[in-house]
Amino acid sequence: MTKKLEGKKAIITGASRGIGKGIALKFAEEGAIVGINYNSSEGKAKDVLNGVNKKSKGILLQGGRRGGRRPLPDEPDDRLTAHNSSTGEII
C-alpha cells in the first residue's frame, strides 16, 4: 500500500509535545521525512525522533531566540540547528 506522504519532507514546529508530536508521528507513519523542531525540550524531542525513526526518517531541528528576542527582519535567521539523527552531530 502506498503511503500518502512517501518522499515528502515536513518540518513540524513544536514537535516535542502535544499536537506537534502527534502530527510528527502521523506524518512519519504516512512516509514523510520529518524535521522535529523544538525550542528547549531536547529530551522530549529525541523521544519523538525515536518514534519517527521507527516509521520513517527524522531529524532534530532546534530553534531558539537570540538573547530571548526574535531577530529583526533584516538580520540573518541563523537560529535553526540541525542534528544528524544517526550520529547526533550538528549539521
Side-chain angles (χ1 to χ4, degrees):
M1 181 176 207
T2 304
K3 296 180 178 182
K4 293 178 187 177
L5 300 175
E6 192 75 43
K8 304 289 184 184
K9 298 172 185 141
I11 296 175
I12 311 297
T13 59
S16 65
R17 57 192 176 151
I19 294 170
K21 175 183 177 180
I23 292 169
L25 293 171
K26 184 63 176 175
F27 275 34
E29 186 177 303
E30 291 295 335
I33 297 169
V34 180
I36 300 162
N37 176 251
Y38 69 98
N39 187 27
S40 60
S41 302
E42 184 176 4
K44 291 180 181 179
K46 285 182 177 180
D47 290 342
V48 175
L49 176 65
N50 288 334
V52 164
N53 282 336
K54 289 177 183 174
K55 302 172 184 187
S56 183
K57 294 180 184 176
I59 188 167
L60 289 180
L61 304 168
Q62 181 183 21
R65 296 182 179 176
R66 279 186 255 153
R69 67 170 179 81
R70 293 183 186 273
L72 298 173
D74 60 341
E75 289 181 312
D77 189 356
D78 60 356
R79 298 172 295 148
L80 197 60
T81 305
H83 300 263
N84 182 311
S85 63
S86 58
T87 66
E89 75 178 309
I90 295 175
I91 54 173

